[in-house]
Amino acid sequence: MDDQQIIELYWNRSDEAIVQTQKKYGRLCYKIAYNILGSHQDSEECVNDTYLRAWDVIPPKRPQKLSAFLCRITRNQALKRYESNTAEKRGGGEVPLALEELAGCIPDSSSVTAVTEQRELTRKFNEFLSRLPAETRRIFLRRYWGLESVRDIAQTLRLSESKVKVTLHRTRKKLKTYLEQEGIVL
Amino acid sequence: MKEKKLLQALGNVDEGYIAEAYEVAPKRKKTKTKLIWAAAAVLCAIALLTAGAAWERIYVATNDLDQYPLVNPAQVADEAIRLTVEEVTASSLRVYCTIDGVEYGKNSIYILEDGPFTIEKKTENGWEALPTRFTDPEWKATRVLTDGDYDWPVNWSGSYGVLEPGTYRYQTVVLEGKAPSCVEFTVTDGPKEELVALLRTTLDSSSYCVRNRVTVETSSLEHLNATDRAGIESITQDSVIEYWKHGDEEMKLTYVEDKLVGGFMHKNGLNYTLMFEGDASYNPILGWSRWTELKRDRLFEWAGLILDTGEYELRGAADGSGMELVQVEERTYEEYGVTAIWTSVWEFDISDPSACAAQLEQQDVDAASPFSWELEKQSREAQTVAFVNTEPQPITTAPEAVERALAEYSGDYTRAIVYRDETAGMWKVEFQDDYGWKGYCYIYMNDNGITQMIAEGEPRVW
């Protein structure tokens, strides 16, 4: 079933919308949730929350890209759950590692103007991403947007682990330079 | 933590990039399955000839299923497939199917959930086939990973209308090549008698407009910041869906906040969808384009949807004109601290056939979007093939252009879009194979219908 048809099912308030969403994107959403939460039960619940959220929002929203729309909801739900889990000292997943790696991208703040607006930062990210080759962009986003492990990325994109690691390393360096040039201070 | 800020900002990047990273493009298995199912296709052709329709199969594998071995229908006994039904209304039901011997995680299977079915009525003389209003020429076999249990909805508002009370049986082939499976069900008008009568009257009418208006009234938004306010406002937009019918032509239009955002239509025996610039419904409308994937049942689905609803109130005249069905629902959005009252009103009108005729008449399927022959001649790589359209046969409308272009293009297409360069007197027909995921083909013809160039486009990428 194509995305337009699934969205129509949501618009028609048909329960089948959830069934079809689950069929087409359930596994993908679960993977994103699991990368963040590292727990089967939490990930299942998170994916169910994603379906409920999608049901609430469509209609009247008509997502331009259903896959991205669902992935984003899942990620947000999972990060929220991750925060509450870590507060209770539970959970795991790839978040701490990814955060550590991202920390290296933050430039020194002494010589640049402070720009802390979240929206501005997102705009800069979009610009940065637009300059990357498609394959690099995929690797980078799977790691830092989807918080996938290097191994999973390598398997999914049929690349060697070392290729993924090198690409991530180079892209992080590029990001750091880019953020410096753009005067980003966090 | 500063790195958390990066993580959050990254979370809001352009959806196009996310989709690109997690691309789930539809996969089709036509070539392979054509061989696998060749014998079954013969059986099907026989069955369908008797039904008076020319069915076409499309095989769809949902993502990542290739890793599981495909179940061979020959190894599944006919009696291993069992059907039950639930949620029966006079116009729809849900089928539950159990296939013995299929184990979850070990194999995948093609289920004909969207396949052809028949409804027969029990009479004193046995089972009698009901006449169909139209036949849908396309159905899909979806490849799914199943533990042997599978269910799907069936809505026959378009093909059989709203059934009279009685005993019926639903019959379909679940796995191609297997004997048809049947399940009995009983239809009663029950407590919705008045509503069923209204739907029957409307569906039986040769012209109607059925309109569903959804208005949303929220509690105060004053406590919200600008971002959250925009968020809840986007969730609680008003919308309208209209179903129009006149004679053999039908149309469904969807509006959000008074802006037309989607449309399907069956007109002059052809199926169309509304196209928007950049394929995004909030962009300006390009016009109607030929769409092979429309199932006509979708243009009648409203009857099944209405019968499936819960509490409602009927207002207005009982003769089927000017009646309204009203449903009110309160929803709470905890993350925003907002409640909203959703009011859904279905309006039925069979009283003004001329308005219905005019509404369908004014949908312009003859128009074409502009393009520059000069630019495309230079930018596209022409294929070195012999053209079929070498004798003049003037083209004056978009449908004529598509028909003429089909002489040059024998591949599959889900959409055909027509472009016109007035100055150069040229037509371009763009055939999208699987919406462009499998590529594009462009046929360029002059006003005399003589092909000037054929070019191919790279498959679409996220």
Side-chain angles (χ1 to χ4, degrees):
Chain A
M1 191 173 267
D2 70 41
D3 289 358
Q4 203 182 0
Q5 287 172 312
I6 297 176
I7 291 166
E8 273 301 315
L9 289 171
Y10 277 104
W11 272 79
N12 294 335
R13 309 314 286 160
S14 161
D15 291 348
E16 183 63 13
I18 305 287
V19 176
Q20 294 299 337
T21 303
Q22 189 175 14
K23 250 198 262 170
K24 190 166 181 185
Y25 294 115
R27 191 181 293 213
L28 175 60
C29 291
Y30 175 87
K31 201 172 167 190
I32 287 172
Y34 190 82
N35 287 335
I36 294 170
L37 296 164
S39 145
H40 170 72
Q41 193 187 335
D42 280 0
S43 305
E44 286 272 5
E45 283 172 18
C46 180
V47 172
N48 284 336
D49 288 348
T50 300
Y51 300 148
L52 288 177
R53 181 81 185 127
W55 179 261
D56 269 350
V57 176
I58 316 172
K61 205 168 167 56
R62 192 172 278 273
Q64 211 184 335
K65 292 186 168 66
L66 186 61
S67 60
F69 175 77
L70 294 166
C71 288
R72 196 195 290 281
I73 296 177
T74 309
R75 184 184 191 262
N76 290 343
Q77 299 276 1
L79 283 173
K80 228 188 265 180
R81 199 176 273 259
Y82 170 81
E83 293 220 335
S84 82
N85 281 359
T86 41
E88 296 166 26
K89 302 229 180 298
R90 291 198 291 126
E94 285 291 318
V95 180
L97 277 172
L99 284 177
E100 208 178 298
E101 289 167 17
L102 276 177
C105 301
I106 300 166
D108 295 331
S109 58
S110 54
S111 61
V112 284
T113 318
V115 182
T116 52
E117 241 328 294
Q118 189 84 358
R119 219 175 308 163
E120 176 67 5
L121 194 52
T122 301
R123 202 175 64 79
K124 295 291 179 197
F125 258 126
N126 279 329
E127 210 174 300
F128 172 72
L129 290 170
S130 73
R131 296 176 185 186
L132 296 177
E135 188 185 65
T136 307
R137 197 160 50 222
R138 268 192 208 112
I139 294 171
F140 185 81
L141 281 174
R142 278 183 172 265
R143 177 67 185 140
Y144 300 116
W145 192 94
L147 301 157
E148 273 185 53
S149 69
V150 168
R151 191 176 182 179
D152 281 356
I153 297 170
Q155 274 178 356
T156 311
L157 301 181
R158 290 181 186 153
L159 301 168
S160 69
E161 279 189 42
S162 61
K163 158 98 175 160
V164 173
K165 277 184 193 161
V166 168
T167 306
L168 285 172
H169 177 69
R170 286 182 184 155
T171 314
R172 283 200 305 270
K173 258 173 88 176
K174 269 188 205 164
L175 176 62
K176 186 179 177 188
T177 312
Y178 175 78
L179 291 176
E180 273 171 353
Q181 283 169 353
E182 292 298 311
I184 302 287
V185 175
L186 298 164
Chain B
M1 278 162 77
K2 291 175 177 181
E3 57 271 32
K4 253 189 178 175
K5 239 182 208 176
L6 276 185
L7 200 66
Q8 280 165 3
L10 197 53
N12 294 320
V13 293
D14 197 295
E15 286 197 345
Y17 295 139
I18 302 165
E20 178 194 61
Y22 292 94
E23 181 181 341
V24 185
K27 294 175 189 171
R28 292 196 172 171
K29 293 280 167 190
K30 276 188 179 171
T31 316
K32 187 176 161 190
T33 48
K34 258 181 190 164
L35 292 171
I36 294 172
W37 302 97
V42 175
L43 287 174
C44 235
I46 294 165
L48 295 166
L49 277 173
T50 50
W55 301 106
E56 181 195 343
R57 285 173 311 290
I58 292 178
Y59 295 95
V60 181
T62 52
N63 49 323
D64 296 340
L65 284 180
D66 288 346
Q67 58 184 300
Y68 299 100
L70 189 63
V71 169
N72 179 357
Q75 291 166 350
V76 178
D78 285 344
E79 58 276 14
I81 305 169
R82 286 168 285 121
L83 303 183
T84 52
V85 292
E86 282 186 22
E87 300 164 32
V88 176
T89 76
S91 216
S92 62
L93 51 74
R94 176 168 286 276
V95 179
Y96 289 81
C97 174
T98 306
I99 307 168
D100 295 336
V102 177
E103 288 182 67
Y104 185 79
K106 292 204 172 162
N107 28 45
S108 60
I109 195 162
Y110 275 114
I111 302 278
L112 307 186
E113 64 167 81
D114 209 8
F117 63 88
T118 55
I119 303 283
E120 293 173 325
K121 187 172 186 181
K122 196 174 197 173
T123 67
E124 288 172 353
N125 304 320
W127 292 104
E128 266 180 27
L130 297 178
T132 53
R133 295 160 173 236
F134 54 76
T135 48
D136 197 322
E138 188 179 90
W139 47 281
K140 286 182 180 174
T142 308
R143 184 170 172 180
V144 292
L145 183 66
T146 172
D147 53 0
D149 289 326
Y150 199 69
D151 63 281
W152 62 91
V154 182
N155 182 333
W156 57 81
S157 313
S159 43
Y160 292 104
V162 178
L163 301 181
E164 302 283 346
T167 302
Y168 296 85
R169 75 176 178 187
Y170 164 87
Q171 181 169 280
T172 192
V173 175
V174 177
L175 301 180
E176 198 169 6
K178 307 307 296 178
S181 305
C182 298
V183 59
E184 278 187 40
F185 62 95
T186 306
V187 170
T188 57
D189 281 356
K192 294 185 176 178
E193 196 174 349
E194 195 185 1
L195 176 59
V196 169
L198 168 64
L199 300 184
R200 202 172 278 140
T201 307
T202 310
L203 270 176
D204 287 346
S205 167
S206 62
S207 286
Y208 62 70
C209 172
V210 174
R211 186 179 285 116
N212 181 216
R213 290 181 192 279
V214 177
T215 49
V216 189
E217 209 173 310
T218 60
S219 57
S220 169
L221 305 182
E222 277 177 10
H223 62 289
L224 297 175
N225 61 30
T227 311
D228 284 350
R229 182 183 282 242
I232 189 72
E233 280 175 351
S234 75
I235 294 170
T236 53
Q237 289 169 307
D238 294 346
S239 61
V240 176
I241 298 179
E242 291 177 346
Y243 298 86
W244 294 86
K245 175 176 163 62
H246 184 69
D248 192 42
E249 297 185 345
E250 309 99 24
M251 175 172 67
K252 174 183 176 180
L253 299 175
T254 304
Y255 301 83
V256 173
E257 297 286 349
D258 296 328
K259 186 195 177 302
L260 184 56
V261 296
F264 312 133
M265 182 169 63
H266 178 78
K267 182 169 176 160
N268 302 331
L270 296 170
N271 294 332
Y272 295 91
T273 183
L274 267 186
M275 285 286 296
F276 297 82
E277 276 179 18
D279 249 355
S281 59
Y282 47 78
N283 284 343
I285 295 169
L286 284 176
W288 291 101
S289 72
R290 190 88 71 90
W291 189 34
T292 56
E293 295 216 315
L294 175 65
K295 284 173 72 79
R296 281 179 73 189
D297 263 322
R298 290 187 73 187
L299 298 161
F300 296 91
E301 69 200 350
W302 54 269
L305 293 172
I306 291 171
L307 279 173
D308 214 10
T309 55
E311 292 293 307
Y312 62 88
E313 183 194 341
L314 271 182
R315 297 173 183 164
D319 63 356
S321 62
M323 275 197 89
E324 287 183 352
L325 178 147
V326 185
Q327 288 181 295
V328 182
E329 187 190 333
E330 186 176 328
R331 295 186 196 173
T332 305
Y333 300 90
E334 281 172 13
E335 65 270 46
Y336 295 104
V338 171
T339 54
I341 307 291
W342 287 67
T343 306
S344 168
V345 179
W346 287 89
E347 302 165 357
F348 306 85
D349 194 352
I350 59 171
S351 64
D352 194 354
S354 58
C356 298
Q359 181 69 18
L360 279 150
E361 182 62 38
Q362 72 185 45
Q363 306 305 320
D364 187 4
V365 293
D366 291 341
S369 302
F371 85 106
S372 165
W373 164 236
E374 202 53 42
L375 283 178
E376 299 209 9
K377 194 166 50 173
Q378 289 164 19
S379 63
R380 295 212 187 277
E381 195 178 327
Q383 283 188 322
T384 49
V385 290
F387 299 145
V388 176
N389 297 327
T390 52
E391 296 296 319
Q393 188 181 320
I395 301 171
T396 53
T397 64
E400 284 174 7
V402 174
E403 289 310 320
R404 190 76 174 147
L406 279 169
E408 302 282 8
Y409 180 72
S410 57
D412 294 323
Y413 71 99
T414 44
R415 278 196 297 222
I417 305 168
V418 181
Y419 298 84
R420 167 97 178 121
D421 181 336
E422 240 359 284
T423 318
M426 286 292 295
W427 296 85
K428 175 178 98 169
V429 179
E430 172 185 316
F431 291 107
Q432 298 183 352
D433 188 0
D434 203 4
Y435 300 98
W437 295 110
K438 289 162 91 175
Y440 298 84
C441 182
Y442 308 100
I443 314 287
Y444 297 86
M445 297 164 294
N446 64 18
D447 277 345
N448 284 326
I450 296 173
T451 304
Q452 304 295 304
M453 184 169 94
I454 298 176
E456 280 188 348
E458 286 293 306
R460 178 181 179 183
V461 288
W462 282 101

